Amino acid sequence: MSVRGRIWLFGHDINTDLIMPGRYLDNYDPAHLAQHAMEGANKKFASGVRKGDIVVSGKNFGCGSSREQAVTALKHSGVSAVIAESFARIFYRNAINLGLPVVVSPTAHAVFGDGDIAMLDVDALVLGSSDGAKSAPLEPIPSHVKTILGMGGLVPYVKAKLAAKEA
Amino acid sequence: MTVDGRTASEKILSRASGMLKARAGDIVEAGPDLVMSHENTYLVNRSFSEFGLPRPWDPDKVVVVLDHRTPANNAQTAAVHASIRKLVTKYGVGRFFDSGEGICHQLLVEERLARPGQLILGTDSHTTTEGAVGAFATGIGATEMAGVWATGSLWLKIPKTVLVNLSGHLMKGTCAKDVALSLAKIIGPSGADYRCMEFVGTLVADLPMASRMVLCNMAVEMGAKAAMVSPDIVTKEWFRGYGEDALTVVASDEDAEFERRVESDVSRMPPIVSGPHKVEEAKSVDKFEGVRIDQAFIGTCTNGRLEDLLAAARILKGRKVAQGCRLIVAPASRRVLTDAIDHGAVQTITQAGGVVLTPGCGPCMGAHGGVLGPGEVCISTSNRNFPGRMGSEEAEIYLASPMTVAASAVAGKIADPRRMLE
């Protein structure tokens, strides 16, 4: 997968209450959720984010609640991937299960600035600025995770598994 | 170097996956003994319905609880609740707890559905709470649960274990919540990431089940995948109290491999307050004394149990909530509420000027029942003080024990409960 987009930079411990505040969770509509994506961390995100944009963050991205609406909001707002120094485990699994690439990079959040335009190549494991001045290596995605992600998430993956069982 | 001993996590996940030699770091396909979801059962089913299956793989292992927005806070939630009621009937889910029965984690333990040695999955991050009985219990997302409903299994990496050795005895005016907050500071918000936290030591041996639940509950605020107290005499007595004598016990071997050991002696620990905005911002109560508050909240899966309400009532007895301050109490379950009535705690709380809500999550995640406005300050027994958690992002949340919250409600500002325990 290769994609070009604006980088939205965030800090450490970006929790799910910042990504998708609980007060909006009465409504499960993805478009409604996307309108409030990252509201607690950057008020300009939801209106400014464009298809393909990349979220870059520090340690422990997605800590807190198990609410998968945090992933739904990001994905529906057009975010192509989240690159972080580390992820909280439930967020990480939710992202894989909903088909949103999440990739670990120890350096990306220190190298890139908010608003940088970058090329993300998940296969080549590199995030590089479009002018070639900055780049950060990405850690390989574990193979079992890659399989689920490659199929577009857990629902298609389980569907295939059930079909194989039946055949 | 390989060791013979195995951790409880290794034993439970080996058994649940049939990979009998599996060790920490291995990825196994494991079958849960119990799965739980709350209002997000709606989302679980949205994904599950794509599979075209008539019902979950084993409806007897499925528990559904309505607790996050109960009774319904608006028409939208009411419709979600109604759809879930229909679903549980359609799928034959017998273990359904409707609005007002209590918080999912409380009910799993209270109803003895959570048992030692089980693998429990819940669509709520605080599912770690159930580890208090010696189960391996962890949180997952709604779509993941749909996959489990369909296949009866999921992939899990067996976690390494962080052994937390708590020694000493609690001073007057302190409890398990103070210990949990102080650990959040020592370990940090991701210090136990992807790990199982196992609580041992002389303090833990003395703690009743309700207090053990507090430690396991807050472990997720340190990133833990699961948390556990190995079954001991307290666990056995607790189950025996409900007429259950035979208990299968799974525990870590003494020579098991622990990744890290954290030692903490609580003997001189004062009441602790965290906040605002970060759980790990934990300090002695005297650092915050005098901070004006608008609201005091006692409840949640962390501190809404009988021992918490009784501790608060001891402070509130014969006192009044300060003018201009609101005290809100949400019992963790109907049984807690009934017991609190029997013990006179509800009378004490209401006479002091507090209000008691429907058993459930209350205002913890900002849905209803005491949402905060801009500039407001709340001291709460809950587990998260993130900006916007209880409503306005411009509100401030401090976390503390039920005693500290009750004392603060009386003072109208953050207060040391020890001064009111003479």
Side-chain angles (χ1 to χ4, degrees):
Chain A
M1 187 194 102
S2 172
V3 67
R4 184 176 188 274
R6 176 202 195 279
I7 284 182
W8 294 84
L9 188 68
F10 297 93
H12 298 302
D13 303 315
I14 299 297
N15 63 66
T16 53
D17 281 291
L18 300 176
I19 302 169
M20 192 61 244
R23 58 188 176 276
Y24 301 120
L25 300 182
D26 296 336
N27 186 335
Y28 291 94
D29 176 22
H32 156 81
L33 297 171
Q35 278 170 17
H36 301 287
M38 302 302 293
E39 192 170 294
N42 182 348
K43 292 266 181 301
K44 292 178 181 154
F45 180 86
S47 57
V49 66
R50 297 287 174 267
K51 194 171 162 54
D53 284 0
I54 301 155
V55 167
V56 175
S57 191
K59 275 184 273 195
N60 204 24
F61 187 86
C63 58
S65 156
S66 68
R67 62 184 69 146
E68 74 177 27
Q69 292 98 319
V71 174
T72 308
L74 290 177
K75 199 181 174 198
H76 202 82
S77 68
V79 168
S80 60
V82 183
I83 314 293
E85 193 177 335
S86 68
F87 291 93
R89 59 166 288 275
I90 307 180
F91 181 90
Y92 185 83
R93 290 185 79 112
N94 284 344
I96 301 302
N97 290 337
L98 295 181
L100 175 68
V102 275
V103 193
V104 173
S105 169
T107 57
H109 90 282
V111 169
F112 287 90
D114 190 63
D116 286 356
I117 304 299
M119 291 288 296
L120 169 68
D121 191 330
V122 172
D123 303 308
L125 295 173
V126 65
L127 179 69
S129 61
S130 54
D131 59 7
K134 299 173 183 174
S135 83
L138 310 176
E139 289 187 1
I141 300 174
S143 64
H144 62 287
V145 167
K146 214 169 178 176
T147 307
I148 299 170
L149 209 48
M151 295 186 77
L154 191 77
V155 169
Y157 174 80
V158 169
K159 270 185 184 169
K161 212 165 142 182
L162 293 170
K165 216 168 154 186
E166 215 148 275
Chain B
M1 191 190 82
T2 57
V3 290
D4 292 333
R6 309 171 82 212
T7 63
S9 296
E10 288 174 325
K11 290 181 187 181
I12 292 171
L13 292 173
S14 294
R15 195 264 309 150
S17 64
M19 305 286 287
L20 297 179
K21 293 188 170 165
R23 290 290 194 160
D26 290 345
I27 290 172
V28 296
E29 186 77 18
D33 302 290
L34 197 68
V35 301
M36 176 277 293
S37 50
H38 46 70
E39 269 93 336
N40 58 18
T41 302
Y42 177 86
L43 278 180
V44 176
N45 191 59
R46 198 161 74 181
S47 293
F48 180 73
S49 57
E50 293 206 35
F51 302 134
L53 297 167
R55 66 188 65 82
W57 96 110
D58 186 349
D60 289 342
K61 289 183 176 161
V62 178
V63 182
V64 174
V65 183
L66 301 184
D67 59 3
H68 274 53
R69 294 169 168 77
T70 52
N73 58 326
N74 59 30
Q76 223 156 13
T77 299
V80 166
H81 285 174
S83 75
I84 293 171
R85 287 185 191 104
K86 276 189 196 156
L87 268 186
V88 294
T89 306
K90 179 177 150 196
Y91 292 156
V93 173
R95 285 159 175 165
F96 171 58
F97 299 89
D98 209 328
S99 170
E101 292 305 318
I103 304 171
C104 53
H105 310 300
Q106 177 67 15
L107 290 167
L108 287 198
V109 175
E110 200 176 271
E111 297 295 319
R112 280 99 58 224
L113 295 168
R115 310 186 71 83
Q118 278 184 337
L119 169 60
I120 301 172
L121 305 172
T123 54
D124 190 276
S125 58
H126 290 106
T127 302
T128 54
T129 312
E130 286 85 304
V133 301
F136 185 96
T138 190
I140 60 173
T143 296
E144 183 107 60
M145 184 60 85
V148 175
W149 275 18
T151 64
S153 70
L154 89 169
W155 68 268
L156 283 174
K157 192 170 181 175
I158 301 182
K160 292 175 179 171
T161 295
V162 176
L163 201 67
V164 183
N165 185 13
L166 300 171
S167 56
H169 295 279
L170 291 165
M171 285 201 303
K172 189 179 69 173
T174 65
C175 62
K177 179 59 167 292
D178 301 292
V179 179
L181 293 175
S182 71
L183 283 174
K185 180 178 183 144
I186 295 169
I187 294 175
S190 59
D193 241 0
Y194 295 85
R195 306 293 191 272
C196 176
M197 285 173 79
E198 196 172 322
F199 298 99
V200 298
T202 49
L203 171 75
V204 179
D206 281 348
L207 290 179
M209 188 59 71
S211 297
R212 294 174 175 199
M213 290 170 77
V214 176
L215 297 179
C216 293
N217 174 277
M218 292 292 292
V220 75
E221 309 313 328
M222 298 159 233
K225 177 177 201 158
M228 218 182 281
V229 176
S230 279
D232 59 4
I233 185 80
V234 172
T235 321
K236 285 175 186 164
E237 286 299 323
W238 189 83
F239 276 95
R240 197 169 289 146
Y242 293 97
E244 295 191 36
D245 285 322
L247 208 60
T248 314
V249 165
V250 181
S252 293
D253 297 324
E254 275 182 28
D255 60 342
E257 192 178 348
F258 299 105
E259 185 196 36
R260 181 182 165 202
R261 286 167 200 264
V262 176
E263 306 277 340
S264 181
D265 183 341
V266 304
S267 300
R268 289 159 158 237
M269 184 190 63
I272 304 287
V273 174
S274 273
H277 305 322
K278 287 181 174 177
V279 182
E280 67 273 21
E281 292 288 327
K283 298 186 183 101
S284 167
V285 64
D286 60 306
K287 300 283 191 295
F288 295 106
E289 263 188 293
V291 171
R292 183 198 56 81
I293 59 165
D294 300 286
Q295 181 168 304
F297 172 50
I298 297 170
T300 80
C301 52
T302 313
N303 280 127
R305 283 173 273 283
L306 182 64
E307 69 169 18
D308 303 315
L309 271 52
L310 293 179
R314 271 199 297 279
I315 302 264
L316 295 168
K317 187 93 186 160
R319 295 192 170 96
K320 291 279 181 201
V321 172
Q323 276 274 305
C325 178
R326 314 177 289 271
L327 170 64
I328 296 169
V329 179
S333 71
R334 182 187 295 281
R335 178 174 293 170
V336 168
L337 173 59
T338 308
D339 290 348
I341 291 169
D342 287 348
H343 283 82
V346 169
Q347 182 78 345
T348 303
I349 290 163
T350 48
Q351 277 178 347
V355 295
V356 177
L357 301 181
T358 303
C361 302
C364 174
M365 90 303 302
H368 65 162
V371 173
L372 301 176
E376 287 199 315
V377 179
C378 178
I379 187 164
S380 167
T381 66
S382 56
N383 39 55
R384 290 186 181 135
N385 52 4
F386 305 150
R389 171 78 180 174
M390 292 179 73
S392 171
E393 289 164 14
E394 290 148 48
E396 290 186 345
I397 305 163
Y398 292 85
L399 305 177
S401 76
M403 280 181 279
T404 304
V405 172
S408 303
V410 168
K413 52 196 179 190
I414 295 178
D416 188 333
R418 291 173 295 189
R419 298 188 212 286
M420 298 189 197
L421 282 170
E422 297 309 324

